[in-house]
Amino acid sequence: MTVGFPPVRPFANGDVWALTADEASSFDAHAIQAHGIAQDVLMENAGRAAAQILARLYPGASVLGLVGPGNNGGDALVALRVLSTWGHSVRGVLVADRDLDDPLLHGWMLDLVAGIDLDDEGWDSAFASADVVLDGILGTGVRGEPRERQAAAIDRVNASGRPVLSLDVPSGIDATSGEVPGAAVRASVTISFGAPKLGSMLHPARALAGRQVSAEIGFPPMTEDDVSVRVVTPAWARARLPVREADTHKNQVGRVLIVGGQVGMAGAVILAARAAFHTGAGLVRICSAPENREAVQAAVPEAMFLSDTDVDALQDALHASDAVAVGPGLGVDERAAATLGAVSAAGGAALLLDADALNLAATGAVDLAVMSESRPVLITPHPGEMARLLDSPDQGQGRISTVEAAVNRFGCAVLFKGAPSLVAGTDSPVSIDTQTSSDLAVAGMGDTLSGVCVALMAQGLDPATAGSVGLYLSGRAAKVAGRGAGLTPSDVIRWLPEALTETGMGSSDLDLPFVTFDADAAR
């Protein structure tokens, strides 16, 4: 079975970036000053793009626009003007000090009213006559809680029961951190201009952003020099998938060793090994407690089994592998520490550390920084493991800063699990996952992800790229499986081949050429 990509249309080269508030402001200034693009032209393009998206999603809808200060309010005025000329019934409520004859209206007489002139009955009437609400109250420059006037408007929007399209970000969120310091709009769709804003992709704001659509509005190209966070899109991931030569064999397409599984924990290595095979590994060995042999060989007959008590066999397997995953179900006792030490000392193959391997590292059993000096390394901590590794229980600096701190401290690539998961490398920008879903909050998903990532590393991907592509494939397989909250790791493993063989570079049901990113609401 071959299926098409989800509705995401990235830039032609697959690069989509998530901008902080400062990066968005700087890039806006760069477009104006270095490239001579007038601010009014950018607002015109943004408002017109928003109008086209709204008209495509809600044909013929009557629209109530909440118009705030600055450029965000300007974008809303342009959108209302354009929609009016296309025959939509529109009304605007000014929730900031703006003129009713703003130059952005180009002389068109719209039904505009100052919010301070409306009583409760007036507000109720405005919402009652609208099919859709356009949120242009606050933009990316907001810091802290909205002022009383804007906060009151936000509360009315949320109470209206109408679908809401927010411009650039849902009003009231922090465009950089994703924090929600006060009142914030709960959007059905967020239309960002030029690129998604980072805060809209981080919780808790992500839950308020709804479907996220980005529109190209005439900005110059963005590069790693302009921004710090890459969005992992289908096209970006697909462009980096390993490609097999026609005349290859199993030893040339990725030899994987999975080390873990203390007595009674065979399931962890079984899931990892099955995931590795389904991600294209040509050969998989499993090193585990001898008591697990029967269970492992029954569940993964394709894999070779060796006992973790056979030191010579382990050393041979380490030297005969392209990538090693250590940690799933490993345990943290002396025997587990000795096994981890043997893996660490062997050198050579790319190494992925997860679960108990990270817990042992946090106690000093191995030195991640030293280990990373001699081989490619990827660590995959969840928040609890990250806190132990960094000895920082609260991680109050935020998820982006946390993953960057781990990279700097350990000198290796880091896949920081969570909602959303993040990946960073020593010489690559932070990547943010777009496939995260609460359906993945199931025991064993980490073991499955380790198997996917180590298989990609064995096939030649560098650790950071393997982590990013592995997240995409795992999340995409979960969506293709369609199990909802009943999803299991085995479902993800079952559908990995379909995620691997999806065709095309992505599309959007909006079918608008300026749409560069279109992702479903977080759930």
Side-chain angles (χ1 to χ4, degrees), residues 87-99:
H88 288 257
S89 173
V90 305
R91 189 177 193 191
V93 178
L94 305 182
V95 293
D97 295 331
R98 300 189 77 112
D99 294 334

Side-chain angles (χ1 to χ4, degrees), residues 18-21 23 168-170 172-181 184 190 196-210 212 228-231 397-404 416-423 430-434 436 517 522:
L19 276 62
T20 67
E23 288 169 346
D168 230 9
V169 293
I173 75 156
D174 187 299
T176 297
S177 70
E179 293 300 316
V180 182
T190 296
K197 303 308 177 287
L198 179 58
S200 294
M201 307 193 78
L202 299 173
H203 286 290
R206 188 168 183 168
L208 301 178
Q212 298 199 48
S228 55
V229 178
R230 173 187 284 120
V231 180
Q397 67 267 48
R399 290 180 56 78
I400 300 290
S401 296
T402 297
V403 73
E404 291 175 333
F416 188 17
K417 299 172 186 173
S421 295
L422 305 169
V423 181
V430 175
S431 293
I432 187 167
D433 179 37
T434 59
T436 297
F517 181 73

